[in-house]
């Protein structure tokens, strides 16, 4: 099953394995990122802005929407105010960690039994956006400053800053959590980071400036590229495939829809959410097999 958040349409949709829509849930504007809680079998969706997009938006959102996939109904809308601008999120046991743009940039933690805030860890940067987390540490991608933040989830404090070239976008951990992959914001670089020491092992040069990062079960890393973005005249985006061990680019450019954001995969395919489409890429040929029409502003993509 494919779960997709649609920022412009203010919907969360579910597709079956044959890409047929099985549910469409209307949410407050604008849903950006979702995470599935396997213990409670619930979906959590962040409402980031009321309108617009990063750098050009109206009021920030102050909600997390809870959806029950058994009935495809909203069971609760969590008001997180005075926290605002929630974006990426991660379920760790009985806690939900949420990156927020408010409070000078912070990581908010909610108790998933009560949905009450436990507190927040200051990141002290503008534009914290993406998140990767384990049970003990969290990493945030910070658009406006040249480092990735490392946060201690046990002692609930900032731990370290890992230098990047211009800023950082998306982050994803390897399957065993030993490696963190992070994309630079304005330079064509993928950073490979040792999570034991929280230091960079190497930089991988990419064919274009990166955005989202997705680690395949083979260890290869899929990176999305926006190209030039104009809201009224969107240009096609692309994805590349990197081998972080060798630093080589396995596939340089696979054309997908404009502004590719959500990336997911299974054993046979890579799925890429873009402005209003999902591209289905064959992992044997690295060709686009089909393009699925989606609601406007397709953002996060989760495969259950």
């Amino acid at each position: 099953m494919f779960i997709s958040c649609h920022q412009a349409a203010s919907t969360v949709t579910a597709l079956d394995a044959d890409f047929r829509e099985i549910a469409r849930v209307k949410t407050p504007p604008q849903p950006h990122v979702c995470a599935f809680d396997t213990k409670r079998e619930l979906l959590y969706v962040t409402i980031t802005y009321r309108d617009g997009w990063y750098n050009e938006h109206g009021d920030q959102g102050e909600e997390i929407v809870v959806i029950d996939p058994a009935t495809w109904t909203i069971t609760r809308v969590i008001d997180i105010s005075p926290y605002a601008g929630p974006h990426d999120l991660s379920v760790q046991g009985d806690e939900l960690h949420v990156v927020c743009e408010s409070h000078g940039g912070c990581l908010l933690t909610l108790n998933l039994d009560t949905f009450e805030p436990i507190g927040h860890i200051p990141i002290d940067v503008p534009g914290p956006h993406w998140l990767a987390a384990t049970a003990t540490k969290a990493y945030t991608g910070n658009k406006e400053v040249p480092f990735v933040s490392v946060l201690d989830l046990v002692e609930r404090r900032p731990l370290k800053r890992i230098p990047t070239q211009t800023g950082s976008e998306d982050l994803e951990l390897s399957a065993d959590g030993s490696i963190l992959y992070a994309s630079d914001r304005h330079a064509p670089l993928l950073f490979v980071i040792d999570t034991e020491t929280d230091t960079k092992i190497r930089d991988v040069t990419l064919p274009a400036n990166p955005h989202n990062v997705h680690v395949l079960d083979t260890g290869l890393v899929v990176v999305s590229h926006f190209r030039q973005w104009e809201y009224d005249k969107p240009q096609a985006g692309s994805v590349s495939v990197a081998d972080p061990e060798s630093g080589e680019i396995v596939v340089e450019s696979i054309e997908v829809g404009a502004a590719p954001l959500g990336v997911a995969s299974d054993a046979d395919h890579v799925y890429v959410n873009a402005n209003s489409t999902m591209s289905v890429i064959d992992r044997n040929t690295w060709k686009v097999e089909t393009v699925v029409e989606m609601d406007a502003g397709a953002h996060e993509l989760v495969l259950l």
Side-chain angles (χ1 to χ4, degrees):
M1 181 189 304
F2 302 89
I3 312 297
S4 180
C5 292
H6 303 273
Q7 174 181 349
S10 297
T11 59
V12 173
T13 59
L15 308 180
D16 67 14
D18 295 316
F19 312 120
R20 295 174 298 202
E21 185 176 298
I22 57 177
R24 180 180 297 198
V25 181
K26 191 69 175 177
T27 70
Q30 297 174 354
H32 275 59
V33 181
C34 56
F36 185 66
D37 181 347
T38 56
K39 178 178 178 180
R40 296 161 185 82
E41 297 186 334
L42 294 172
L43 192 69
Y44 308 121
V45 182
T46 52
I47 304 300
T48 306
Y49 308 125
R50 301 299 182 208
D51 57 79
W53 54 94
Y54 187 82
N55 276 344
E56 295 187 38
H57 61 80
D59 292 339
Q60 293 175 322
E62 299 176 330
E63 300 88 17
I64 296 173
V65 174
V66 183
I67 297 173
D68 183 353
T71 60
W72 290 110
T73 57
I74 294 176
T75 61
R76 184 165 183 162
V77 178
I78 307 167
D79 182 353
I80 63 168
S81 62
Y83 298 96
H87 192 256
D88 204 1
L89 69 174
S90 176
V91 177
Q92 296 294 327
D94 294 324
E95 296 181 343
L96 179 65
H97 304 295
V98 187
V99 176
C100 294
E101 294 180 5
S102 67
H103 294 69
C106 71
L107 184 70
L108 170 67
T109 302
L110 301 177
N111 182 311
L112 284 174
D113 290 326
T114 64
F115 294 115
E116 292 296 322
I118 294 172
H120 74 269
I121 303 172
I123 305 172
D124 292 329
V125 300
H129 226 53
W130 298 98
L131 173 68
T134 68
T136 59
K137 282 196 295 189
Y139 301 85
T140 64
N142 308 318
K143 287 177 175 285
E144 308 298 340
V145 293
F147 56 82
V148 168
S149 294
V150 188
L151 308 175
D152 187 322
L153 296 178
V154 178
E155 297 186 6
R156 304 196 55 76
R157 62 182 180 89
L159 194 60
K160 190 174 181 179
R161 293 175 172 181
I162 304 170
T164 62
Q165 182 160 311
T166 69
S168 50
E169 282 287 355
D170 196 20
L171 311 141
E172 187 157 330
L173 290 160
S174 62
D176 63 2
S178 64
I179 301 293
L180 176 75
Y181 302 100
S183 58
D184 196 272
R185 188 178 188 200
H186 295 299
L189 294 171
L190 176 71
F191 305 113
V192 183
I193 297 165
D194 182 326
T195 58
E196 183 176 354
T197 60
D198 290 326
T199 56
K200 282 195 292 182
I201 301 171
R202 68 182 62 89
D203 299 346
V204 178
T205 301
L206 299 166
N209 289 356
H211 203 280
N212 280 63
V213 175
H214 176 72
V215 183
L216 299 177
D217 53 8
T218 58
L220 297 179
V221 179
V222 179
V223 182
S224 73
H225 309 282
F226 265 44
R227 295 183 181 166
Q228 184 64 34
W229 170 248
E230 295 180 35
Y231 190 78
D232 296 328
K233 298 177 182 179
Q235 296 184 19
S238 66
V239 295
S240 59
V241 184
D243 181 349
E245 286 293 324
S246 66
E248 299 296 318
I249 303 302
V250 176
V251 185
E252 183 168 321
S253 181
I254 306 167
E255 186 167 298
V256 295
L261 280 168
V263 184
S265 65
D266 57 24
D268 300 313
H269 296 93
V270 172
Y271 307 92
V272 183
N273 249 5
N275 188 35
S276 57
T277 63
M278 179 175 70
S279 296
V280 181
I281 300 169
D282 187 308
R283 285 178 58 173
N284 292 312
T285 63
W286 297 115
K287 303 293 184 182
V288 175
E289 190 174 277
T290 188
V291 177
V292 181
E293 293 298 317
M294 305 288 276
D295 276 357
H299 199 290
E300 182 68 30
L301 180 65
V302 173
L303 184 57
L304 299 185

